[in-house]
Amino acid sequence: MLTRPDRHLTATWLGAVILAVGLAACSAGTGDETGSAAEAASPSADPAPAVTPPGAPAGADTNPFLAGAPAADPDMQSVHAADALRASDPDGAAALDVISDVGASLWVGDWFEPAEAQTLVHDYATAAHAAGRTGVVTVYAIPARDCGSFSDGGLTPEEYPDFVQAVADGLRGTRTAVVLEPDALADLGACDAQGDRAGLLRQATAALADAGASVYLDAGNSAWIDAPTMADRLRQAGIEDARGFATNVSNFRTTSDERAYGDQLAALLGTHYVVDTSRNGLGPLGDGPLDWCNPAGRALGEKPAAVDDGSALDAYLYVKVPGESDGECDRGDPAAGQFWPEYAIGLVERAGG
């Protein structure tokens, strides 16, 4: 079953970032001064220099989530949706608060100019570190993204390296985890206009790793590409420079299935992995052609947290933002990336949240 993540239309959260970094600077005396929100939001403004935290970034050598739990973005769409429901539906708002409190990855893609993406990820990651957390950024801009399905788009092969380098520059010195290009390797060769996809991913992995990021190349899921084939694709994409790989992004496969798949891949590669548990609490709906697309009756899975059990698994993460639509799904569902409060509330309620 093909997993099709959404095209995330993440809003900036500069006001909250400025407050967080400012408070950290006042209390610890280690933060850099930050300009006004208007200056930071301007595409022409120079991004603030990276704040290098004490000690070396995790990179590929250690589990980044042992140094800080996954960060929660205070500008997630669930935050705004909960605020809008607070007076009329307090129970629904409380359910959305469950998602906001644990947080999900910040997605950046071709809906941002490179300078905008650089500023956004820098401010997000710096604030996450100031709060003692590990930021999680998902890069989603590969050429021929989603092969023309509901989340189609992406940059050209010529534009892509500069975009990734801007993201890397924004993350430099911030101890951040990066999930790199959901679906890209699982869809390798599945449609035209991909360019040298493996080469682009290899270059992107190296650039992000050079900036100190802990890179997790997307490896599809346990029901998509067999482990030996995916291991070969990950090698082509530069897994040796990465911390490891990510599985189940935007999908619903059970944690036990994903751990079995991840362990098999990790043994083949000698590396580590993370699992997206954002919507897999009750497993998949089925294996129909669109059963991956906003399936009914699903639930949140394990909350984001580091895993330190001696296995190759580094963490459970909400990579997909719970409640953001996978797309129209050929039945008139909200567009990809649009937050769907009713769906999000159902995910929480069925998980017992």
Side-chain angles (χ1 to χ4, degrees):
M1 178 173 69
L2 301 187
T3 173
R4 302 293 190 185
D6 53 8
R7 174 169 180 165
H8 290 64
L9 304 177
T10 308
T12 60
W13 50 295
L14 298 175
V17 167
I18 291 167
L19 176 60
V21 174
L23 290 174
C26 291
S27 62
T30 58
D32 287 357
E33 293 183 0
T34 306
S36 69
E39 292 170 342
S42 170
S44 61
D46 292 332
V51 177
T52 303
D61 297 329
T62 60
N63 181 348
F65 302 104
L66 295 179
D73 178 354
D75 199 39
M76 285 175 61
Q77 293 195 68
S78 57
V79 174
H80 303 292
D83 289 343
L85 288 177
R86 196 78 62 193
S88 61
D89 183 5
D91 290 340
L96 296 179
D97 289 340
V98 171
I99 294 173
S100 303
D101 289 345
V102 297
S105 174
L106 173 71
W107 290 57
V108 292
D110 54 310
W111 51 98
F112 292 116
E113 293 296 324
E116 293 176 307
Q118 181 175 347
T119 298
L120 176 61
V121 300
H122 166 76
D123 289 336
Y124 162 78
T126 300
H129 177 75
R133 299 298 186 100
T134 297
V136 184
V137 171
T138 299
V139 177
Y140 193 47
I142 199 75
R145 185 185 64 220
D146 209 24
C147 284
S149 190
F150 302 118
S151 296
D152 67 329
L155 299 168
T156 68
E158 294 73 28
E159 295 168 331
Y160 185 73
D162 290 340
F163 180 85
V164 174
Q165 187 61 58
V167 173
D169 290 342
L171 294 177
R172 193 172 302 278
T174 62
R175 198 191 70 216
T176 302
V178 176
V179 176
L180 186 58
E181 296 299 346
D183 291 1
L185 285 177
D187 261 344
L188 185 67
C191 58
D192 296 331
Q194 292 186 355
D196 179 10
R197 175 167 284 189
L200 290 171
L201 288 170
R202 187 167 57 249
Q203 184 176 352
T205 301
L208 291 161
D210 180 69
S214 299
V215 182
Y216 296 92
L217 279 155
D218 186 77
N221 63 70
S222 59
W224 196 345
I225 303 294
D226 65 87
T229 300
M230 180 54 69
D232 181 63
R233 294 182 185 187
L234 286 163
R235 293 187 190 101
Q236 293 177 53
I239 190 70
E240 68 274 8
D241 290 325
R243 171 66 183 173
F245 57 90
T247 75
N248 206 43
V249 173
S250 297
N251 214 281
F252 303 84
R253 295 290 157 181
T254 64
T255 298
S256 59
D257 284 349
E258 292 308 299
R259 288 201 65 161
Y261 178 65
D263 288 344
Q264 186 181 4
L265 261 181
L268 291 169
L269 296 164
T271 189
H272 301 264
Y273 68 99
V274 294
V275 175
D276 183 358
T277 56
S278 58
R279 304 183 297 178
N280 76 339
L282 294 175
L285 177 65
D287 289 314
L290 283 175
D291 281 348
W292 56 266
C293 196
N294 299 328
R298 302 307 92 200
L300 299 179
E302 288 90 348
K303 290 183 178 180
V307 175
D308 188 19
D309 62 1
S311 73
L313 176 61
D314 279 350
Y316 299 124
L317 301 175
Y318 286 0
V319 181
K320 166 79 174 185
V321 180
E324 290 189 1
S325 175
D326 295 314
E328 295 87 348
C329 304
D330 292 342
R331 55 178 177 263
D333 288 354
Q338 182 176 332
F339 193 76
W340 191 357
E342 295 82 6
Y343 195 90
I345 291 168
L347 292 172
V348 175
E349 291 178 343
R350 286 183 288 274

PDB file of all heavy atoms in Angstrom, residues 152-172:
ATOM      1  N   ASP A 152       1.178  16.200  -4.923  1.00  0.00           N
ATOM      2  CA  ASP A 152       2.158  16.409  -5.979  1.00  0.00           C
ATOM      3  C   ASP A 152       2.811  17.777  -5.851  1.00  0.00           C
ATOM      4  O   ASP A 152       2.286  18.704  -5.255  1.00  0.00           O
ATOM      5  CB  ASP A 152       1.509  16.249  -7.356  1.00  0.00           C
ATOM      6  CG  ASP A 152       0.484  17.333  -7.666  1.00  0.00           C
ATOM      7  OD1 ASP A 152      -0.160  17.818  -6.717  1.00  0.00           O
ATOM      8  OD2 ASP A 152       0.337  17.694  -8.840  1.00  0.00           O
ATOM      9  N   GLY A 153       3.990  17.876  -6.438  1.00  0.00           N
ATOM     10  CA  GLY A 153       4.740  19.128  -6.397  1.00  0.00           C
ATOM     11  C   GLY A 153       6.221  18.825  -6.363  1.00  0.00           C
ATOM     12  O   GLY A 153       6.679  17.816  -6.883  1.00  0.00           O
ATOM     13  N   GLY A 154       6.965  19.706  -5.726  1.00  0.00           N
ATOM     14  CA  GLY A 154       8.407  19.543  -5.617  1.00  0.00           C
ATOM     15  C   GLY A 154       9.162  20.539  -6.461  1.00  0.00           C
ATOM     16  O   GLY A 154       8.605  21.185  -7.363  1.00  0.00           O
ATOM     17  N   LEU A 155      10.426  20.682  -6.170  1.00  0.00           N
ATOM     18  CA  LEU A 155      11.314  21.578  -6.893  1.00  0.00           C
ATOM     19  C   LEU A 155      11.895  20.881  -8.116  1.00  0.00           C
ATOM     20  O   LEU A 155      11.728  19.673  -8.297  1.00  0.00           O
ATOM     21  CB  LEU A 155      12.443  22.032  -5.961  1.00  0.00           C
ATOM     22  CG  LEU A 155      11.987  22.801  -4.720  1.00  0.00           C
ATOM     23  CD1 LEU A 155      13.132  22.955  -3.730  1.00  0.00           C
ATOM     24  CD2 LEU A 155      11.423  24.161  -5.102  1.00  0.00           C
ATOM     25  N   THR A 156      12.588  21.623  -8.938  1.00  0.00           N
ATOM     26  CA  THR A 156      13.304  21.014 -10.050  1.00  0.00           C
ATOM     27  C   THR A 156      14.615  20.426  -9.541  1.00  0.00           C
ATOM     28  O   THR A 156      15.105  20.792  -8.465  1.00  0.00           O
ATOM     29  CB  THR A 156      13.614  22.048 -11.139  1.00  0.00           C
ATOM     30  OG1 THR A 156      14.571  22.982 -10.617  1.00  0.00           O
ATOM     31  CG2 THR A 156      12.354  22.791 -11.579  1.00  0.00           C
ATOM     32  N   PRO A 157      15.211  19.520 -10.309  1.00  0.00           N
ATOM     33  CA  PRO A 157      16.510  18.990  -9.884  1.00  0.00           C
ATOM     34  C   PRO A 157      17.571  20.066  -9.715  1.00  0.00           C
ATOM     35  O   PRO A 157      18.490  19.908  -8.898  1.00  0.00           O
ATOM     36  CB  PRO A 157      16.873  18.019 -11.015  1.00  0.00           C
ATOM     37  CG  PRO A 157      15.549  17.577 -11.565  1.00  0.00           C
ATOM     38  CD  PRO A 157      14.689  18.810 -11.490  1.00  0.00           C
ATOM     39  N   GLU A 158      17.442  21.161 -10.446  1.00  0.00           N
ATOM     40  CA  GLU A 158      18.406  22.248 -10.327  1.00  0.00           C
ATOM     41  C   GLU A 158      18.179  23.076  -9.065  1.00  0.00           C
ATOM     42  O   GLU A 158      19.131  23.588  -8.457  1.00  0.00           O
ATOM     43  CB  GLU A 158      18.336  23.154 -11.554  1.00  0.00           C
ATOM     44  CG  GLU A 158      18.764  22.506 -12.862  1.00  0.00           C
ATOM     45  CD  GLU A 158      17.736  21.517 -13.400  1.00  0.00           C
ATOM     46  OE1 GLU A 158      16.524  21.682 -13.111  1.00  0.00           O
ATOM     47  OE2 GLU A 158      18.140  20.575 -14.121  1.00  0.00           O
ATOM     48  N   GLU A 159      16.928  23.222  -8.645  1.00  0.00           N
ATOM     49  CA  GLU A 159      16.594  24.030  -7.474  1.00  0.00           C
ATOM     50  C   GLU A 159      16.805  23.295  -6.154  1.00  0.00           C
ATOM     51  O   GLU A 159      17.103  23.911  -5.124  1.00  0.00           O
ATOM     52  CB  GLU A 159      15.126  24.469  -7.544  1.00  0.00           C
ATOM     53  CG  GLU A 159      14.788  25.394  -8.682  1.00  0.00           C
ATOM     54  CD  GLU A 159      13.283  25.566  -8.863  1.00  0.00           C
ATOM     55  OE1 GLU A 159      12.531  24.610  -8.518  1.00  0.00           O
ATOM     56  OE2 GLU A 159      12.868  26.635  -9.354  1.00  0.00           O
ATOM     57  N   TYR A 160      16.653  21.996  -6.186  1.00  0.00           N
ATOM     58  CA  TYR A 160      16.586  21.227  -4.948  1.00  0.00           C
ATOM     59  C   TYR A 160      17.840  21.351  -4.072  1.00  0.00           C
ATOM     60  O   TYR A 160      17.722  21.558  -2.855  1.00  0.00           O
ATOM     61  CB  TYR A 160      16.291  19.765  -5.269  1.00  0.00           C
ATOM     62  CG  TYR A 160      16.075  18.902  -4.048  1.00  0.00           C
ATOM     63  CD1 TYR A 160      14.912  19.009  -3.289  1.00  0.00           C
ATOM     64  CD2 TYR A 160      17.044  17.986  -3.634  1.00  0.00           C
ATOM     65  CE1 TYR A 160      14.712  18.222  -2.163  1.00  0.00           C
ATOM     66  CE2 TYR A 160      16.857  17.190  -2.520  1.00  0.00           C
ATOM     67  CZ  TYR A 160      15.691  17.320  -1.781  1.00  0.00           C
ATOM     68  OH  TYR A 160      15.503  16.551  -0.665  1.00  0.00           O
ATOM     69  N   PRO A 161      19.046  21.237  -4.634  1.00  0.00           N
ATOM     70  CA  PRO A 161      20.230  21.312  -3.756  1.00  0.00           C
ATOM     71  C   PRO A 161      20.327  22.626  -2.991  1.00  0.00           C
ATOM     72  O   PRO A 161      20.718  22.639  -1.818  1.00  0.00           O
ATOM     73  CB  PRO A 161      21.402  21.137  -4.732  1.00  0.00           C
ATOM     74  CG  PRO A 161      20.829  20.350  -5.866  1.00  0.00           C
ATOM     75  CD  PRO A 161      19.438  20.893  -6.024  1.00  0.00           C
ATOM     76  N   ASP A 162      19.984  23.744  -3.632  1.00  0.00           N
ATOM     77  CA  ASP A 162      20.057  25.033  -2.946  1.00  0.00           C
ATOM     78  C   ASP A 162      19.033  25.118  -1.821  1.00  0.00           C
ATOM     79  O   ASP A 162      19.304  25.707  -0.765  1.00  0.00           O
ATOM     80  CB  ASP A 162      19.838  26.181  -3.933  1.00  0.00           C
ATOM     81  CG  ASP A 162      21.006  26.365  -4.896  1.00  0.00           C
ATOM     82  OD1 ASP A 162      22.124  25.887  -4.569  1.00  0.00           O
ATOM     83  OD2 ASP A 162      20.805  26.957  -5.965  1.00  0.00           O
ATOM     84  N   PHE A 163      17.859  24.534  -2.034  1.00  0.00           N
ATOM     85  CA  PHE A 163      16.839  24.551  -0.987  1.00  0.00           C
ATOM     86  C   PHE A 163      17.316  23.760   0.228  1.00  0.00           C
ATOM     87  O   PHE A 163      17.224  24.231   1.373  1.00  0.00           O
ATOM     88  CB  PHE A 163      15.528  23.970  -1.520  1.00  0.00           C
ATOM     89  CG  PHE A 163      14.424  23.943  -0.497  1.00  0.00           C
ATOM     90  CD1 PHE A 163      13.632  25.065  -0.292  1.00  0.00           C
ATOM     91  CD2 PHE A 163      14.184  22.809   0.267  1.00  0.00           C
ATOM     92  CE1 PHE A 163      12.614  25.049   0.662  1.00  0.00           C
ATOM     93  CE2 PHE A 163      13.178  22.789   1.221  1.00  0.00           C
ATOM     94  CZ  PHE A 163      12.388  23.914   1.416  1.00  0.00           C
ATOM     95  N   VAL A 164      17.837  22.564  -0.004  1.00  0.00           N
ATOM     96  CA  VAL A 164      18.295  21.744   1.109  1.00  0.00           C
ATOM     97  C   VAL A 164      19.468  22.412   1.819  1.00  0.00           C
ATOM     98  O   VAL A 164      19.563  22.371   3.053  1.00  0.00           O
ATOM     99  CB  VAL A 164      18.669  20.333   0.631  1.00  0.00           C
ATOM    100  CG1 VAL A 164      19.289  19.529   1.776  1.00  0.00           C
ATOM    101  CG2 VAL A 164      17.442  19.616   0.097  1.00  0.00           C
ATOM    102  N   GLN A 165      20.345  23.047   1.061  1.00  0.00           N
ATOM    103  CA  GLN A 165      21.477  23.731   1.700  1.00  0.00           C
ATOM    104  C   GLN A 165      20.987  24.869   2.591  1.00  0.00           C
ATOM    105  O   GLN A 165      21.549  25.094   3.677  1.00  0.00           O
ATOM    106  CB  GLN A 165      22.439  24.266   0.646  1.00  0.00           C
ATOM    107  CG  GLN A 165      23.723  24.838   1.235  1.00  0.00           C
ATOM    108  CD  GLN A 165      24.521  23.804   2.010  1.00  0.00           C
ATOM    109  OE1 GLN A 165      24.897  22.764   1.462  1.00  0.00           O
ATOM    110  NE2 GLN A 165      24.769  24.061   3.294  1.00  0.00           N
ATOM    111  N   ALA A 166      19.939  25.565   2.166  1.00  0.00           N
ATOM    112  CA  ALA A 166      19.370  26.627   3.007  1.00  0.00           C
ATOM    113  C   ALA A 166      18.820  26.046   4.303  1.00  0.00           C
ATOM    114  O   ALA A 166      19.007  26.618   5.391  1.00  0.00           O
ATOM    115  CB  ALA A 166      18.279  27.371   2.244  1.00  0.00           C
ATOM    116  N   VAL A 167      18.130  24.911   4.217  1.00  0.00           N
ATOM    117  CA  VAL A 167      17.630  24.255   5.427  1.00  0.00           C
ATOM    118  C   VAL A 167      18.792  23.833   6.318  1.00  0.00           C
ATOM    119  O   VAL A 167      18.771  24.045   7.543  1.00  0.00           O
ATOM    120  CB  VAL A 167      16.753  23.042   5.061  1.00  0.00           C
ATOM    121  CG1 VAL A 167      16.364  22.253   6.310  1.00  0.00           C
ATOM    122  CG2 VAL A 167      15.495  23.500   4.317  1.00  0.00           C
ATOM    123  N   ALA A 168      19.817  23.254   5.723  1.00  0.00           N
ATOM    124  CA  ALA A 168      20.983  22.835   6.498  1.00  0.00           C
ATOM    125  C   ALA A 168      21.630  24.024   7.201  1.00  0.00           C
ATOM    126  O   ALA A 168      21.995  23.942   8.385  1.00  0.00           O
ATOM    127  CB  ALA A 168      21.987  22.139   5.582  1.00  0.00           C
ATOM    128  N   ASP A 169      21.755  25.141   6.496  1.00  0.00           N
ATOM    129  CA  ASP A 169      22.348  26.327   7.106  1.00  0.00           C
ATOM    130  C   ASP A 169      21.506  26.828   8.271  1.00  0.00           C
ATOM    131  O   ASP A 169      22.032  27.289   9.288  1.00  0.00           O
ATOM    132  CB  ASP A 169      22.505  27.432   6.065  1.00  0.00           C
ATOM    133  CG  ASP A 169      23.581  27.117   5.028  1.00  0.00           C
ATOM    134  OD1 ASP A 169      24.435  26.231   5.288  1.00  0.00           O
ATOM    135  OD2 ASP A 169      23.565  27.737   3.944  1.00  0.00           O
ATOM    136  N   GLY A 170      20.188  26.741   8.136  1.00  0.00           N
ATOM    137  CA  GLY A 170      19.321  27.161   9.227  1.00  0.00           C
ATOM    138  C   GLY A 170      19.412  26.270  10.448  1.00  0.00           C
ATOM    139  O   GLY A 170      19.199  26.719  11.575  1.00  0.00           O
ATOM    140  N   LEU A 171      19.739  25.004  10.245  1.00  0.00           N
ATOM    141  CA  LEU A 171      19.786  24.039  11.351  1.00  0.00           C
ATOM    142  C   LEU A 171      21.161  23.906  11.977  1.00  0.00           C
ATOM    143  O   LEU A 171      21.300  23.263  13.024  1.00  0.00           O
ATOM    144  CB  LEU A 171      19.345  22.659  10.850  1.00  0.00           C
ATOM    145  CG  LEU A 171      17.892  22.528  10.407  1.00  0.00           C
ATOM    146  CD1 LEU A 171      17.639  21.120   9.883  1.00  0.00           C
ATOM    147  CD2 LEU A 171      16.944  22.852  11.551  1.00  0.00           C
ATOM    148  N   ARG A 172      22.154  24.521  11.381  1.00  0.00           N
ATOM    149  CA  ARG A 172      23.532  24.290  11.811  1.00  0.00           C
ATOM    150  C   ARG A 172      23.692  24.582  13.312  1.00  0.00           C
ATOM    151  O   ARG A 172      23.345  25.648  13.800  1.00  0.00           O
ATOM    152  CB  ARG A 172      24.489  25.163  11.004  1.00  0.00           C
ATOM    153  CG  ARG A 172      25.962  24.777  11.142  1.00  0.00           C
ATOM    154  CD  ARG A 172      26.823  25.556  10.151  1.00  0.00           C
ATOM    155  NE  ARG A 172      26.398  25.350   8.778  1.00  0.00           N
ATOM    156  CZ  ARG A 172      26.738  24.305   8.032  1.00  0.00           C
ATOM    157  NH1 ARG A 172      27.497  23.348   8.556  1.00  0.00           N
ATOM    158  NH2 ARG A 172      26.320  24.205   6.784  1.00  0.00           N
TER     159      ARG A 172
END
